């Protein structure tokens, strides 16, 4: 039985990855931080099937101890300050976790179990002000947020440890991937939950930022499968994981509202743009300048050709199904409030 250690196990990706590894008969260990109130989050349904270890990415000693306890064959680093918008408010914390935290974990692996295979969760935000379309493993990086900058350090230190210490260390450059387990602060989940509440008559409208921003959206379940595939290869390497499709935030909004039978009419542009329900002329979408980033990433589009060819990976959940699953999940949550 293989052993795996997952940081960030209670998050969206961590929970889906834990499920995948359990299905493959792994013994799964997860790192989580001690809190005043115990919150299993997305792993409450599998908490009795996994081993949880208290540790922190900013505490090297705790990571060494976690490695000693788990003795993993594979380590998946999914822990991060993961909300891009917050990185401008907490740049130092973002750097400590997303950059130096990766070094702490790599050192723990090097000291305790250097034969363990390592996966680092890199991000399309490292491309930022994109230098070419679409983005590949060879596209130059130009991050546009403290989050992207910190993640770029984590990406390069992973490559450095691979080349310096011959560690089996991979980075997955994952483009935007969402799911029903996405945190409420993320724009996609903010949209799907607002659509459910507006449809149920619990609220009138949702306020969003840059509706013209373009993203390459996939589903987390597909993307964690790519993580696992990377660590099953003979040689470590870095891979772009994406759908090779880009859509605006406005398109996500339209698809989500269409799922509940609300067709939108758009009026105005920029900060004055609003989305109106065609049936009753009710404004259900407003643009709020507070939600714009100090430095915008206007478009992201990834080419997963290398992952498809080398890993045999292929996304299975398309964009309409992704949005439908998120809206259906939030409709169920709204209905639960009524019962």
């Amino acid at each position: 039985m293989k052993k795996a250690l997952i940081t960030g196990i209670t998050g969206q990706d961590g929970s889906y990855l834990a499920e995948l590894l359990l299905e493959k008969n792994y013994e799964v260990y997860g790192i989580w931080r001690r809190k005043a109130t115990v919150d299993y989050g997305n792993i409450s349904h599998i908490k009795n099937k996994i081993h949880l270890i208290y540790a922190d990415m900013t505490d090297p000693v705790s990571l060494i101890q976690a490695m000693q306890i788990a003795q993993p064959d594979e380590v998946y680093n999914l822990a991060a300050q993961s909300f891009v918008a917050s990185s401008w408010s907490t740049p130092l914390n973002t750097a400590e976790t997303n950059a130096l935290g990766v070094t702490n974990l790599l050192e723990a692996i090097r000291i305790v179990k250097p034969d363990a295979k390592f996966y680092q969760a890199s991000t399309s935000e490292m491309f930022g002000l994109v230098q070419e379309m679409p983005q590949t493993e060879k596209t130059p990086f130009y991050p546009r947020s403290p989050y992207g900058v910190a993640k770029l350090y984590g990406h390069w230190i992973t490559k450095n440890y691979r080349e310096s210490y011959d560690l089996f260390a991979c980075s997955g450059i994952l483009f935007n991937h969402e799911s029903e387990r996405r945190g409420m602060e993320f724009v996609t989940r903010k949209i799907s939950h607002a659509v459910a509440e507006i449809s149920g008559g619990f609220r009138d409208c949702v306020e969003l930022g840059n509706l013209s921003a373009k993203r390459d959206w996939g589903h987390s379940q597909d993307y964690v499968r790519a993580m696992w595939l990377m660590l099953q290869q003979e040689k470590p390497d870095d891979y772009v994981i994406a759908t090779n499709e880009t859509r605006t935030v406005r398109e996500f909004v339209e698809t989500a509202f269409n799922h509940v039978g609300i067709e939108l009419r758009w009026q105005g542009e920029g900060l004055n743009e609003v989305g109106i329900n065609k049936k009753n002329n009710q404004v259900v979408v407003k643009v709020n300048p507070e939600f714009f980033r100090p430095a915008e990433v206007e478009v992201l589009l990834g080419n997963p050709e290398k992952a498809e060819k080398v890993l045999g990976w292929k996304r299975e959940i398309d964009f309409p199904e992704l949005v439908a699953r998120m809206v259906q999940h939030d409709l169920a949550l709204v209905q639960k409030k009524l019962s």
Side-chain angles (χ1 to χ4, degrees):
M1 179 182 288
K2 280 187 177 182
K3 295 181 179 180
L5 176 65
I6 304 172
T7 72
I9 195 169
T10 61
Q12 169 186 258
D13 292 0
S15 60
Y16 280 122
L17 178 60
E19 289 175 348
L20 176 69
L21 296 179
L22 287 172
E23 289 173 5
K24 294 183 179 297
N25 202 33
Y26 278 66
E27 187 173 358
V28 178
Y29 291 79
I31 285 177
W32 66 337
R33 289 179 295 178
R34 190 178 296 277
K35 296 180 180 179
T37 303
V38 175
D39 181 11
Y40 292 102
N42 293 311
I43 58 167
S44 57
H45 62 299
I46 56 171
K47 67 179 187 295
N48 296 324
K49 299 179 180 180
I50 60 181
H51 311 281
L52 293 172
I53 303 170
Y54 284 115
D56 193 287
M57 296 298 291
T58 63
D59 186 341
V61 174
S62 70
L63 296 177
I64 289 172
Q65 291 174 338
M67 285 295 299
Q68 290 171 336
I69 292 169
Q71 291 293 313
D73 301 289
E74 299 171 2
V75 179
Y76 297 85
N77 182 33
L78 310 184
Q81 189 297 97
S82 59
F83 191 41
V84 177
S86 292
S87 70
W88 277 279
S89 302
T90 59
L92 296 182
N93 173 263
T94 300
E96 287 173 358
T97 303
N98 297 6
L100 297 182
V102 184
T103 313
N104 292 336
L105 184 54
L106 284 165
E107 273 295 284
I109 293 170
R110 188 177 71 86
I111 292 168
V112 178
K113 202 171 185 297
D115 63 334
K117 295 183 175 182
F118 175 72
Y119 170 82
Q120 165 61 14
S122 290
T123 170
S124 58
E125 288 287 331
M126 299 187 306
F127 293 120
L129 187 62
V130 297
Q131 303 298 293
E132 66 177 3
M133 292 286 287
Q135 293 88 64
T136 72
E137 293 81 4
K138 297 180 179 180
T139 302
F141 298 116
Y142 196 137
R144 297 266 283 171
S145 65
Y147 170 85
V149 172
K151 276 290 192 176
L152 184 54
Y153 176 96
H155 179 80
W156 278 112
I157 200 66
T158 298
K159 187 187 291 284
N160 184 261
Y161 269 64
R162 180 169 74 213
E163 297 175 353
S164 299
Y165 302 113
D166 199 30
L167 295 185
F168 192 108
C170 300
S171 286
I173 306 174
L174 272 56
F175 280 64
N176 294 66
H177 50 290
E178 318 297 327
S179 77
E180 310 88 290
R181 299 178 186 177
R182 198 47 140 159
M184 290 290 187
E185 70 272 23
F186 290 86
V187 66
T188 51
R189 187 70 193 285
K190 182 178 179 180
I191 293 167
S192 65
H193 196 256
V195 167
E197 290 191 325
I198 291 169
S199 175
F202 290 96
R203 64 190 293 183
D204 294 326
C205 72
V206 58
E207 295 186 349
L208 301 170
N210 184 4
L211 295 177
S212 298
K214 295 179 179 180
R215 293 295 183 268
D216 183 325
W217 276 303
H219 196 287
S220 176
Q221 270 188 312
D222 284 335
Y223 286 42
V224 300
R225 185 161 37 84
M227 299 175 190
W228 176 78
L229 285 169
M230 289 180 209
L231 298 196
Q232 311 316 306
Q233 306 306 305
E234 290 186 8
K235 295 180 180 180
D237 206 347
D238 305 326
Y239 299 88
V240 162
I241 306 300
T243 71
N244 206 23
E245 297 175 0
T246 189
R247 300 171 190 271
T248 63
V249 174
R250 189 185 295 102
E251 286 178 89
F252 196 106
V253 171
E254 290 172 339
T255 305
F257 273 106
N258 283 341
H259 188 75
V260 295
I262 297 177
E263 189 177 356
L264 296 181
R265 170 169 53 86
W266 296 98
Q267 183 174 301
E269 60 181 53
L271 298 180
N272 298 315
E273 189 169 21
V274 295
I276 303 170
N277 182 350
K278 283 186 176 180
K279 291 182 179 178
N280 57 17
N281 284 325
Q282 175 192 358
V283 173
V284 292
V285 181
K286 294 180 181 178
V287 173
N288 187 335
E290 290 184 14
F291 298 126
F292 279 70
R293 297 177 180 181
E296 283 287 341
V297 175
E298 295 296 343
V299 58
L300 291 171
L301 174 64
N303 183 350
E305 183 179 353
K306 179 179 175 181
E308 292 175 350
K309 182 178 179 180
V310 178
L311 304 179
W313 177 82
K314 199 83 173 177
R315 68 99 176 250
E316 296 176 355
I317 301 171
D318 63 15
F319 179 76
E321 184 181 351
L322 161 67
V323 179
R325 284 174 61 158
M326 293 181 69
V327 174
Q328 280 300 127
H329 174 80
D330 285 330
L331 285 170
L333 285 184
V334 171
Q335 287 299 316
K336 197 172 181 180
K337 289 181 183 179
L338 295 173
S339 60

